[in-house]
Amino acid sequence: MESIKFSTTSVLQDFRDDGVIYLELRTTPREIPSRDITKDDYVSSVLDCIKDFGKEKMSTYLILSVDRRNTEIEAMEVVDLAVKYKSRGVVAVDLCGDPSQGRVSLFRAAFAKAKHHGLKLTLHFAEVPSSSVEEELMTLLSYKPERIGHTDDVGVFCSPLSNEYLLAAEHFNLGHGELVEICGKAIEAIFGDNEEKKRLRESLSAFKEGATI
């Protein structure tokens, strides 16, 4: 359990050091039988770390992921955990994993349950040719996700959010005002509540005017 807490806290610190003030952390519930750690223990431990880390400079919420290789039962387990811990900051369920694996039609009941309980849905979508066939894409869209796209993983791509903005500015010749506009549009897509959106708009406005956040 200590390794889970250490890893989670380290990730949170990295994001905060990069200047992030709102974070939706994504993780796949996992169990470690050799240490008697259940998926429930894992999720609860991550949420404990988020709470202990505090919200003074960065608000953090959790998204629980269903892996494309999961069975229907395993997907439902993830959703049940998301429902159980919604009051502690779980805001959504995600579909991720190897895009060449699994049948996404298996997850219809699980995703329907998530939405029934007020959780948001975000899906990795059309990442490779093998998962971009019309049947799969239409199935995913039928689940009515609030967000689609690809969730960048800093651990995989070694590119923090600040560097992503830098790359966008360099490659598309974007100025300060255009980057601020992009940030503003991102606020409307978050899974946080209206109070979070209001806080972020105020922070962005202060940044735009040259104030320190």
Side-chain angles (χ1 to χ4, degrees):
M1 197 69 75
E2 288 305 312
S3 62
I4 296 172
K5 292 180 180 179
F6 176 81
S7 298
T8 303
T9 301
S10 295
V11 168
L12 294 173
Q13 188 64 54
D14 285 346
F15 275 108
R16 191 163 74 178
D17 290 345
D18 193 42
V20 173
I21 61 172
Y22 176 90
L23 175 64
E24 291 173 0
L25 188 65
R26 179 172 62 90
T27 189
T28 303
R30 48 182 59 88
E31 57 187 356
I32 309 175
S34 62
R35 299 193 178 184
D36 294 324
I37 296 176
T38 66
K39 293 179 182 179
D40 192 303
D41 294 331
Y42 174 87
V43 174
S44 182
S45 180
V46 171
L47 287 167
D48 284 343
C49 289
I50 291 173
K51 180 181 178 181
D52 292 342
F53 195 78
K55 289 190 173 186
E56 182 179 350
K57 293 184 178 180
M58 180 176 75
S59 294
T60 304
Y61 298 87
L62 193 62
I63 296 174
L64 297 187
S65 296
V66 172
D67 191 293
R68 289 178 61 107
R69 295 167 295 185
N70 284 165
T71 64
E72 186 175 2
I73 292 175
E74 289 171 329
M76 193 63 78
E77 288 176 348
V78 173
V79 170
D80 286 341
L81 287 171
V83 171
K84 177 178 180 178
Y85 288 112
K86 182 183 175 186
S87 63
R88 290 183 58 187
V90 176
V91 292
V93 173
D94 167 60
L95 177 66
C96 68
D98 186 342
S100 67
Q101 301 295 316
R103 290 193 298 117
V104 297
S105 59
L106 291 177
F107 309 132
R108 184 174 300 278
F111 291 154
K113 182 174 184 178
K115 293 184 75 69
H116 175 74
H117 285 275
L119 291 162
K120 304 297 185 181
L121 181 61
T122 176
L123 306 174
H124 285 57
F125 191 83
E127 294 184 287
V128 297
S130 61
S131 67
S132 301
V133 296
E134 183 176 359
E135 180 182 0
E136 173 165 319
L137 299 183
M138 294 307 294
T139 297
L140 291 173
L141 289 175
S142 74
Y143 298 152
K144 294 180 171 39
E146 279 74 22
R147 290 202 308 241
I148 57 175
H150 180 71
T151 306
D152 284 335
D153 190 328
V154 177
V156 174
F157 296 102
C158 299
S159 179
L161 184 61
S162 58
N163 189 58
E164 292 294 299
Y165 278 114
L166 176 61
L167 291 173
E170 291 177 343
H171 287 280
F172 298 104
N173 194 29
L174 301 177
H176 179 274
E178 291 165 308
L179 290 175
V180 169
E181 183 179 354
I182 291 173
C183 291
K185 291 180 179 179
I187 292 173
E188 303 312 312
I190 70 170
F191 293 149
D193 59 20
N194 289 331
E195 283 299 313
E196 282 290 0
K197 291 181 179 180
K198 180 175 181 292
R199 180 182 71 86
L200 293 174
R201 291 190 194 103
E202 291 173 349
S203 294
L204 186 61
S205 178
F207 175 77
K208 184 177 180 179
E209 294 170 5
T212 302
I213 299 175

